[in-house]
Each structure stands twice: as structure tokens, then as C-alpha cells.
Amino acid sequence: MKFEFILNEQDYLNSSLFTASKSAVIKKRRLGSRLIIPIVYIGLGIWFWDDYNHISTILFVLFAILWFLFSPIITRRRYVRYYKSAIKEAYSQRLGRTLSLEIQNDVLAFTEGPNESRFQASDIDVINEIPDLILIRIKSSNCIILPKERINNLDELKRQLKQLAERMKVNYNEELEWKWR
């Protein structure tokens, strides 16, 4: 069966943010940023500690606490801005085009205008379902993004993908509560 859909900038953004949220490197980088900067400021506060002026120490410790509390919000926004600019640069030609996915036995045929990509079902690494998208991760690092709101016959697509995942012994992860944090 052939499933047609149109991707927008938000679909690419959600896909990128989901991938980032699962990346060990990005998790480590965000945690490091959240911990190292407060440690440096507390160290500076201790270094400036003297008998006459405790205000600088208090300010450094206060800044460390504020950074620890608000850095998740800051880094979250930074990643959103970064991915939005990267998407505008890399995918501006693809936005608004009609795409299609056809599942034929053990082959996924992905069509974008005159271009067609075929993937063997055995090349699927994982299928993730998040609130707005279904993401089919291919072992070659490609990802097929399927917007749930703008796809014809979504229930049939989900049924076929779950059957395919079961047949190929691939994880079908339903993370319907996922949110970029």
C-alpha cells in the first residue's frame, strides 16, 4: 500500500531533537555543561574568599546555583535554534513536497518527486513512534520521517510497520509521551 504525506520544518525539527535526545554524546555534553560551569564558579568563589569581602564568593555561588537550575532551558533553546537553522539550510528544497512510502513485502520504497530510494526491510535498525511522527531508522543512518497528522490511512501504516518490525525482529518503540527537554 502507498502512503502519501508532506513534511514541514517542524517534522524535521522534531526528528532531529528526538535523535539528539537519544544520543549519548549529546546527553554527556549537556550534563557536562550543566555541571562543569557551576563547579568552576564555586571554585572561583572559594578562591576569592577572604576575611574582608565575602560578597564575591556569595555572588559566584549564587551564579553557580542559577546556572545549574536554568542551564537545561538555555541548552534546550540553543539546540532548537541550531537545528532550525540547519534544517532551513539543508531541507528548504524538500519542504512542502509530496512524498510517498510504499511497503512491498520486505522492501520500503520511498519516493520524493522523481527520486526513489529502496530499502530492504532487513536494513531497518529501529522504528520509533513519538507524538507527532513515526521515524524509521535505517542502518545506513538514514531516517524516514512520517508525520502522523498528514498521512493517509495512519492505522493501516502502523499495522504494517508493526508487522514488519515483528517479522524482521526490529524494535517498534512507542514513546508517545516524548517531549524535547
Side-chain angles (χ1 to χ4, degrees), residues 43-62:
L44 286 171
I46 291 169
W47 189 60
F48 282 115
W49 180 270
D50 62 19
D51 293 333
Y52 304 106
N53 185 7
H54 299 296
I55 293 175
S56 60
T57 300
I58 292 170
L59 288 175
F60 278 115
V61 170
L62 180 63

Side-chain angles (χ1 to χ4, degrees), residues 20 37 54-55 68 74 79 110 113 121 123 136 138 142 166 178:
I37 292 174
H54 299 296
I55 293 175
F68 183 78
I74 294 166
Y79 276 94
F110 180 72
D123 291 338
I136 304 172
I138 307 297
N142 289 328
E166 188 177 312
W178 176 85

Side-chain angles (χ1 to χ4, degrees), residues 52-111:
Y52 304 106
N53 185 7
H54 299 296
I55 293 175
S56 60
T57 300
I58 292 170
L59 288 175
F60 278 115
V61 170
L62 180 63
F63 185 77
I65 292 169
L66 290 173
W67 180 265
F68 183 78
L69 294 175
F70 293 108
S71 66
I73 296 167
I74 294 166
T75 58
R76 185 179 324 137
R77 288 180 181 167
R78 187 182 317 146
Y79 276 94
V80 168
R81 274 195 318 268
Y82 168 77
Y83 283 119
K84 276 186 176 182
S85 68
I87 288 165
K88 284 180 183 174
E89 185 177 314
Y91 299 112
S92 63
Q93 301 296 329
R94 296 175 130 181
L95 299 176
R97 289 180 142 183
T98 300
L99 309 171
S100 67
L101 175 71
E102 191 170 357
I103 302 173
Q104 310 160 341
N105 296 327
D106 289 343
V107 175
L108 300 176
F110 180 72
T111 307

Side-chain angles (χ1 to χ4, degrees), residues 29-40 67-68 71:
R29 187 178 301 152
R30 290 180 76 190
L31 181 63
S33 169
R34 186 172 188 192
L35 296 177
I36 290 173
I37 292 174
I39 290 170
V40 167
W67 180 265
F68 183 78
S71 66

